[in-house]
Amino acid sequence: MSAQSLERRTRNYLSNNVPQIQEHGGHFEIEDVDHETGEVTVAIGGACSGCGIAPMTMKAIERRLPDELDEVSSVTVRRAGGPRAAVMPDKTDEMEEMDEYEDYSPPF
């Protein structure tokens, strides 16, 4: 499978299975795809950058994408920076470490 094909399948999965990102004013970008190793890097931004449930969304994507796409071995999700980023990153960074989010299963 080519990198473009894996990127397209990843984009389709996120668009179809995690619509909350775009519905809530956020966006995602496939930053890197290594079709040989199956490693994918996704950035979420816009409203996601400062959203209180962003850590849960990020962990859910990291866990579920490899289960759904056999070609994906691992996923790294990070917050996109830049001018569209919201201003609450230190709070959400702190939340990523909270045990409460470890077993959270969002409805997507």
Side-chain angles (χ1 to χ4, degrees):
M1 172 177 288
S2 71
Q4 292 85 4
S5 178
L6 183 54
E7 180 177 341
R8 185 178 64 251
R9 291 192 63 203
T10 300
R11 184 175 312 287
N12 286 341
Y13 173 81
L14 291 173
S15 293
N16 294 326
N17 296 288
V18 195
Q20 296 86 341
I21 292 173
Q22 293 157 322
E23 289 171 357
H24 297 154
H27 67 275
F28 67 86
E29 178 181 336
I30 312 300
E31 288 195 326
D32 188 47
V33 173
D34 186 328
H35 72 281
E36 291 179 14
T37 64
E39 296 172 351
V40 175
T41 303
V42 177
I44 61 173
C48 294
S49 296
C51 177
I53 63 167
M56 295 178 280
T57 302
M58 294 165 73
K59 284 184 182 199
I61 292 169
E62 289 172 349
R63 280 190 227 144
R64 293 180 184 177
L65 189 56
D67 290 342
E68 295 295 321
L69 300 179
D70 293 335
E71 306 84 10
V72 175
S73 63
S74 68
V75 180
T76 301
V77 182
R78 67 172 202 80
R79 274 191 208 81
R84 294 176 65 186
V87 248
M88 203 176 91
D90 45 34
K91 269 289 183 219
T92 52
D93 285 343
E94 200 177 288
M95 291 172 74
E96 287 177 14
E97 305 302 320
M98 295 173 70
D99 292 334
E100 289 87 351
Y101 297 128
E102 196 58 40
D103 296 321
Y104 176 77
S105 184
F108 54 80

